[in-house]
Amino acid sequence: MRKIILCLFLTLFGFNLAWSHGSHPSAQWVILNAELVGADRTGLTALAVADGRIVALGQDRDVRAWIGPNTRVIQAQGRSLIPGLIDSHMHTIRAGLTELTEVHWSGVRRLDQALRLLQQKAQNSPPDVWIVVAGGWTPDQFEEKRSPTAAELQQAVGERAAYVQRAYSAVLITPTGMQRLPWARHADLASRLKSETDRDGKETGWLAGDARAISDVYNLLPSPDAQAQRAGTLAWYQRLSRWGMTGIVDPGGYNLPPSAYQATQTLWQQGKLPLRLRFSLSAPKAGSELADFQQLSALMPMGWGDEWLRFNGLGENVTWGMYNNAAPSEKDKAHLEETLRWAAQRGMGVTFHWNQNETVHHLLEVIERVGQSHDLRPLRWSIAHLNNASLENLQRMKQLGMGWLVQNASYFQRTQLLQQVGEAALTRTPPLGDAMALGLPVGLGTD
């Protein structure tokens, strides 16, 4: 397979081109002898960029006219040139804070290799440092098709405090780690966790819980200091940039208090962001969502920022009572409706986190009530996940002028989806074909 060169400016779609060979300033850089993927025309081999914009596409002979004495010329040697990638739903601000302090299993294909990474981290870290893997992997990625056992984790890290999280469903913590966590200050948390058992009914050491419980356990871990957060955030954004990411929409979410945005904002102020970010605010705590949003956004209206960092509205936990709640009360719905009316009046974008089609009617009913008095189409509201969306609910979203943000749950949550929808339905989960046929705006993301 040929190597791919990534276009790190804007998409190849929808920009104004200067096709004339008349007088014009020279380009900052020109790419020649490439295969342009995603352009409306075929057979294009070259492009020119000036002032951060693509100003010309064509054959090499056409675009050479943009070469001046200070133009950087890149010979692609037949490689493919693709548009920069924009992720519609990634918790990138949160991920950056621990990029350099946690162990990452992304792309690791064998469980013994994953455990070796933990061993290396333990050997190269001070004895009081936690060894942490916080998601980003699935048992199915390993040849062994399973999670590590408690004994394997203990053997890898010795007497160290270690924490391994599997999605938002379970955690495995070493005995030393269990002793160091401040359980006494969070007595209710232990009751929200359940010990996993194997086929013989023996406890495995894994503690299972819902997404909120697992997130609360993670919050008990010590956080990196401000310097480590800034360094990790920069390293993470640079890694995304190397993968061809040019834009990220961060929806907010758990484990993301207002202070967590400081590392990204500092890099932005210093002009060090290597990609563009659009971020949302999540409700910091239950019971005061609207008041908190009003205070946090008082000096930061919708659209605040610049092309590199911009405030994108509310999400993904807009109100705690309507966050993946399969059986919300009328009070929960009323509180969300009040918050959404306030957001609509101020022209704010909103993204909602909802997993199951069977219960999303609770959310859609509230949005439809708000839509009776506000035109929601210009606000670009969206629902993330909704993996098994029905045609009926996609049509309701289309009627409201909403979008659908789709993630790779069929990979990271294959076991859960099999139990939820079955093998046959999984082949069309998520139903992207239905959404595209409706003309529903669809964004792809990694979560």
Side-chain angles (χ1 to χ4, degrees), residues 256-306:
L256 200 68
S259 60
Y261 293 83
Q262 291 179 359
T264 290
Q265 290 179 341
T266 298
L267 293 176
W268 168 63
Q269 291 169 338
Q270 296 173 347
K272 293 182 178 179
L273 288 180
L275 41 72
R276 295 170 174 83
L277 287 168
R278 303 293 180 263
F279 69 94
S280 299
L281 287 177
S282 236
K285 57 183 180 295
S288 60
E289 292 92 337
L290 178 54
D292 289 339
F293 285 142
Q294 290 171 333
Q295 182 178 18
L296 289 168
S297 65
L299 298 178
M300 191 174 62
M302 180 66 184
W304 170 90
D306 61 16

Side-chain angles (χ1 to χ4, degrees), residues 22 27 61 82 88 96 106 144 149 236 249 252 262 280 300 332 335 342-343 347 351 378-379 383 393 404 409 444:
R61 61 179 178 273
I82 70 172
S88 71
S106 175
E144 297 86 348
T149 66
W236 169 236
V249 180
Q262 291 179 359
S280 299
M300 191 174 62
D332 291 330
H335 185 34
W342 172 83
T351 183
L379 304 183
I383 298 178
N393 284 330
W404 183 29
L444 302 181

Side-chain angles (χ1 to χ4, degrees), residues 3-4 82 89 94 156 178 198 217 266 275 294-295 329 340 348 354 357 367 401 420-421:
K3 291 178 63 179
I4 293 177
I82 70 172
H89 186 95
R94 182 178 66 200
M178 292 293 289
D198 59 21
V217 175
T266 298
L275 41 72
Q294 290 171 333
Q295 182 178 18
S329 66
L340 294 183
M348 284 193 175
W354 208 276
N357 180 74
I367 299 173
Q420 180 184 344
V421 304

Side-chain angles (χ1 to χ4, degrees), residues 93-349:
I93 293 174
R94 182 178 66 200
L97 302 178
T98 56
E99 167 69 8
L100 298 181
T101 57
E102 294 181 352
V103 178
H104 307 285
W105 283 353
S106 175
V108 179
R109 298 305 180 195
R110 288 182 54 84
L111 185 54
D112 60 344
Q113 295 171 349
L115 292 167
R116 195 173 303 121
L117 291 176
L118 296 181
Q119 183 181 41
Q120 293 170 354
K121 181 70 172 180
Q123 292 172 346
N124 297 321
S125 302
D128 61 332
V129 171
W130 277 79
I131 312 302
V132 176
V133 179
W137 64 281
T138 170
D140 290 331
Q141 79 187 50
F142 300 134
E143 292 180 7
E144 297 86 348
K145 302 298 180 184
R146 64 175 179 85
S147 303
T149 66
E152 288 170 334
L153 177 60
Q154 184 83 47
Q155 183 178 6
V157 303
E159 298 302 315
R160 301 291 297 269
Y163 171 104
V164 177
Q165 180 174 318
R166 185 176 66 222
Y168 286 100
S169 60
V171 293
L172 180 62
I173 307 172
T174 59
T176 301
M178 292 293 289
Q179 294 173 5
R180 288 180 55 180
L181 288 178
W183 296 106
R185 299 203 304 270
H186 304 271
D188 67 312
L189 183 52
S191 66
R192 293 155 55 197
L193 300 170
K194 180 181 179 181
S195 294
E196 283 192 352
T197 56
D198 59 21
R199 294 177 180 177
D200 298 324
K202 183 179 179 181
E203 293 186 354
T204 65
W206 284 87
L207 299 174
D210 61 21
R212 186 167 296 174
I214 298 302
S215 296
D216 288 345
V217 175
Y218 179 84
N219 279 341
L220 301 182
L221 300 176
S223 299
D225 61 29
Q227 182 178 357
Q229 290 182 3
R230 289 193 298 271
T233 297
L234 179 58
W236 169 236
Y237 292 161
Q238 289 173 335
R239 181 148 67 106
L240 291 174
S241 184
R242 288 194 297 272
W243 289 341
M245 306 301 300
T246 61
I248 303 289
V249 180
D250 190 309
Y254 282 140
N255 315 105
L256 200 68
S259 60
Y261 293 83
Q262 291 179 359
T264 290
Q265 290 179 341
T266 298
L267 293 176
W268 168 63
Q269 291 169 338
Q270 296 173 347
K272 293 182 178 179
L273 288 180
L275 41 72
R276 295 170 174 83
L277 287 168
R278 303 293 180 263
F279 69 94
S280 299
L281 287 177
S282 236
K285 57 183 180 295
S288 60
E289 292 92 337
L290 178 54
D292 289 339
F293 285 142
Q294 290 171 333
Q295 182 178 18
L296 289 168
S297 65
L299 298 178
M300 191 174 62
M302 180 66 184
W304 170 90
D306 61 16
E307 64 174 312
W308 291 100
L309 183 70
R310 196 178 301 281
F311 175 48
N312 206 40
L314 311 182
E316 59 184 6
N317 184 5
V318 183
T319 58
W320 287 63
M322 288 292 289
Y323 185 79
N324 290 325
N325 187 350
S329 66
E330 289 304 314
K331 182 178 179 181
D332 291 330
K333 295 180 180 180
H335 185 34
L336 177 63
E337 182 176 344
E338 179 187 20
T339 303
L340 294 183
R341 290 189 182 279
W342 172 83
Q345 290 169 359
R346 284 153 183 77
M348 284 193 175

